[in-house]
Amino acid sequence: ISLTEGAKIKKKNQIALKSVIIAFFITLIFAYVGKYLLDVINVSLDSLKIAGGIILMFIAIDILFEKRKIRREKKVEEALDEKNYDEIVVFPIAIPFIAGPATLATIILLMGNYANFPEFHITVILALIAALIVSLLLMIGGSYIVKFLPKQFLHTTARVMAFILAALATQFIIDGIKASFNI
């Protein structure tokens, strides 16, 4: 909601749909080749968690201190006017908000643990689709609900959610460090 503030509902819905579709394909790719890709470049799932946590922390700090408000408004306005949604759709909405480190690590682990059971893969993919549909419905629903809420409430909520995002990012970093050093 805060990333698309000022955009028309139709544009917000397009951004939400495109983000969910991109997140689906990224997650699907990671489901089948993520482990091999990480092995080839010698990166552990724990490192993925730490990197994702750091990225999420920067985003949370930006939102908390509104350092990105002017930058965001300018980028959103340009993207929406020119129908060039790549910056907003792919980053940060599709990655890391929807297909973040926890999602990617989970899908890699689930698919890897049951590599010999293709019937389980179908269940995992269906669960992924269900979660993405819920995400899409929440994003689209949020676009309509914000019309009836005061701006002060939205700004306060954005800050609280940014604080929770910072806590989540910290947890990703801690979990990654703990697992890396067997603590």
Side-chain angles (χ1 to χ4, degrees), residues 20 22 69-70 89 106 119 124 132 157:
V20 166
I22 290 170
K69 186 172 175 70
I70 294 168
V89 171
T106 301
E119 63 277 359
V124 172
L132 290 173
T157 304

Side-chain angles (χ1 to χ4, degrees), residues 2-19:
S2 67
L3 290 173
T4 59
E5 188 176 358
K8 294 182 179 172
I9 289 180
K10 183 177 178 182
K11 299 291 184 189
K12 288 181 181 187
N13 292 346
Q14 289 173 347
I15 291 169
L17 181 61
K18 287 181 181 181
S19 296

Side-chain angles (χ1 to χ4, degrees), residues 123-139:
T123 305
V124 172
I125 300 303
L126 289 174
L128 170 65
I129 291 169
L132 290 173
I133 289 171
V134 169
S135 296
L136 178 63
L137 293 174
L138 288 171
M139 286 188 280

Side-chain angles (χ1 to χ4, degrees), residues 31-87:
Y32 289 101
V33 298
K35 183 175 180 352
Y36 305 109
L37 175 66
L38 293 177
D39 287 345
V40 166
I41 60 174
N42 201 24
V43 172
S44 69
L45 288 175
D46 302 323
S47 297
L48 183 70
K49 285 182 185 178
I50 294 169
I54 291 169
I55 291 169
L56 287 175
M57 183 62 74
F58 280 122
I59 293 168
I61 289 169
D62 268 357
I63 294 169
L64 275 170
F65 298 108
E66 284 198 34
K67 291 182 179 181
R68 64 193 309 232
K69 186 172 175 70
I70 294 168
R71 197 174 55 222
R72 180 186 72 222
E73 287 173 357
K74 182 180 174 191
K75 282 186 178 181
V76 169
E77 190 175 294
E78 289 172 3
L80 296 176
D81 287 344
E82 298 172 12
K83 296 186 180 181
N84 178 11
Y85 308 119
D86 294 341
E87 286 186 40

Side-chain angles (χ1 to χ4, degrees), residues 107-118:
I107 199 93
I108 290 170
L109 288 172
L110 286 173
M111 298 301 264
N113 288 344
Y114 298 97
N116 297 330
F117 303 102

